[in-house]
Amino acid sequence: MTRSISIFGATGSIGASTLDLLARQPQHWRVEALTANCQAAELARLALAHKARIAVVADERCLPELREALSGSGIEAGGGAAALVEAASRGADLTVAAIVGCAGLAPTMAAIRAGGTVALANKEALVSAGEVMITAVRRHGATLLPVDSEHNAIFQCLAGNDIADVRWITLTASGGPLREWPLERLQSATVAEAVAHPNWSMGAKISVDSATMFNKGLEFIEAHHLFPVGHERLRIVVHPQSVIHSMVEYRDGSTLAQLGPADMRVPIASALAWPARMDTPCAPLDLPAIGQLTFQAPDEVRFPATKLAREAVAAGGAAPAVLNAANEVAVAAFLAGQIRFTQITQIVAQVLETCDLPPPASLDDVLVVDAEARHRAADMLEPA
Ligand code: NAD
Ligand code: MG
């Protein structure tokens, strides 16, 4: 059986892992749309290699180069925000949402409104839109399959069980590359040090998020929306080996965990084949070689991001979208060498404190909150 698939954010780390899996069973897949922010040459190469029907660059300025690279191939080329949404609205049997940041929200919502199945890696979209996205999923009969490794693990551990029987959901966190650094040293962490993740190879933004622990904060909010057990039943434990990807404890005292190599092709394969299973080229788990699995409580003094995320969930309304937007701006500023590592968290906390916006009730409302919070965060980057 052949299924159609679109990948939003095809040139990124999740995009590459997904395309790697598709290339191993091309007979099963017909590629509809592939997208990128710009990277026209790379996107054209992928579109040709995977015989996509349409390739779209979000940045319209890159469209001429994409057109040129695809001319004579029969592959359609598109550019700009509206083209991205149009490509998502066409629908596919499976849409992989792998754009980084709230920039992925509009196409993800379009795929949901088309009533399709969305494999969601783009956590910022769900964090920002929250109930707006979950309501749209219900209304349009869409299906969300979590690709984020923790949420995919929880999804697997919940299968066949009643969510009412859940006592705890525990998200595991590697702790990131700066896990053992004292507070004073964190101030001077460089970009190279912050993106050097010990276990996972990922895009720059999520790598910085792992170092600040905002990644886990965003994932806490993501879990709150995907698995409605109440945020007081969600916990975070630091597990530096990244072997257990998350766990669900039931009221009878049974804890189910999902284990696997730190390779995103495992959770992506789980979403691609769901509800069945497929082969991956990932090495089997070698527990004797790993030796030890260790756990510790998160240190929210050195890494306050998870505390800010919990507070944003408790506050509800616009707070999670504000947190996400401020973090995106602060991470970009850190990557550009404009601010120190520890300022990321400070800026997010300050924007959350000062940004009291009405609860978003629609996609447009979410985008307004996102824009306003970005604006406030950008103001804080200006030298006083
Ligand atoms: P990446 O930076 O490697 O790739 C991002 C993709 O999004 C690229 O194709 C890029 O062209 C596109 N993009 C960037 N800005 C855009 C914009 N403004 N408009 C449209 N497209 C844009 O990122 P990644 O590591 O693949 O992560 C993608 C998403 O998946 C993120 O939300 C991340 O948190 C999540 N995620 C990633 C991993 C991982 O291992 N990489 C794991 C779990 C979750
Ligand atoms: Mg994750």
Side-chain angles (χ1 to χ4, degrees), residues 123 148-151 200 202 206 215-216 219 222 264:
K123 66 191 84 184
D148 210 348
S149 57
E150 297 75 4
H151 307 74
W200 299 92
M202 311 182 286
I206 183 175
N215 184 46
K216 215 48 57 179
E219 290 183 355
E222 185 186 11
M264 284 306 292

Side-chain angles (χ1 to χ4, degrees), residues 9 11-14 37 39 58 98 103 121-124 148 202-203 264:
T11 54
S13 165
I14 294 289
N37 188 27
Q39 303 113 315
N122 182 201
K123 66 191 84 184
E124 297 91 347
D148 210 348
M202 311 182 286
M264 284 306 292

Side-chain angles (χ1 to χ4, degrees), residues 24-243:
R24 291 166 196 275
Q25 39 167 240
Q27 71 283 9
H28 291 326
W29 299 100
R30 184 182 63 67
V31 178
E32 180 70 34
L34 295 181
T35 84
N37 188 27
C38 186
Q39 303 113 315
E42 173 63 4
L43 181 63
R45 188 186 70 74
L46 295 174
L48 290 164
H50 296 274
K51 302 188 177 68
R53 293 203 169 162
I54 178 169
V56 182
V57 277
D59 186 336
E60 213 163 352
R61 290 168 300 183
C62 309
L63 180 57
E65 189 189 344
L66 181 67
R67 273 216 183 99
E68 172 71 29
L70 289 177
S71 74
S73 68
I75 299 173
E76 227 180 300
L84 211 57
V85 167
E86 194 277 324
S89 310
R90 294 180 178 201
D93 294 324
L94 185 65
T95 299
V96 180
I99 289 175
V100 61
C102 192
L105 176 57
T108 302
M109 288 292 285
I112 289 169
R113 285 173 178 160
T117 300
V118 176
L120 184 77
N122 182 201
K123 66 191 84 184
E124 297 91 347
L126 178 54
V127 167
S128 302
E131 283 307 318
V132 169
M133 183 182 289
I134 297 300
T135 304
V137 168
R138 266 189 238 116
R139 182 175 306 149
H140 299 282
T143 304
L144 267 192
L145 299 176
V147 165
D148 210 348
S149 57
E150 297 75 4
H151 307 74
N152 184 268
I154 295 162
F155 184 77
Q156 294 196 45
C157 294
L158 286 172
N161 287 282
D162 186 343
I163 199 157
D165 290 331
V166 173
R167 190 189 274 166
W168 293 107
I169 288 180
T170 303
L171 292 159
T172 55
S174 70
L178 314 179
R179 177 174 57 90
E180 292 184 327
W181 287 33
L183 194 52
E184 315 75 64
R185 192 174 165 209
L186 285 176
Q187 316 238 2
S188 57
T190 65
V191 169
E193 287 164 336
V195 302
H197 200 282
N199 306 340
W200 299 92
S201 154
M202 311 182 286
K205 195 263 176 180
I206 183 175
S207 296
V208 175
D209 284 346
S210 297
T212 57
M213 290 289 278
F214 265 114
N215 184 46
K216 215 48 57 179
L218 297 173
E219 290 183 355
F220 183 91
I221 303 172
E222 185 186 11
H224 167 66
H225 292 297
L226 288 171
F227 314 114
V229 295
H231 59 89
E232 57 295 329
R233 290 180 187 273
L234 297 176
R235 300 191 294 198
I236 295 168
V237 67
V238 175
H239 165 48
Q241 295 82 15
S242 299
V243 170

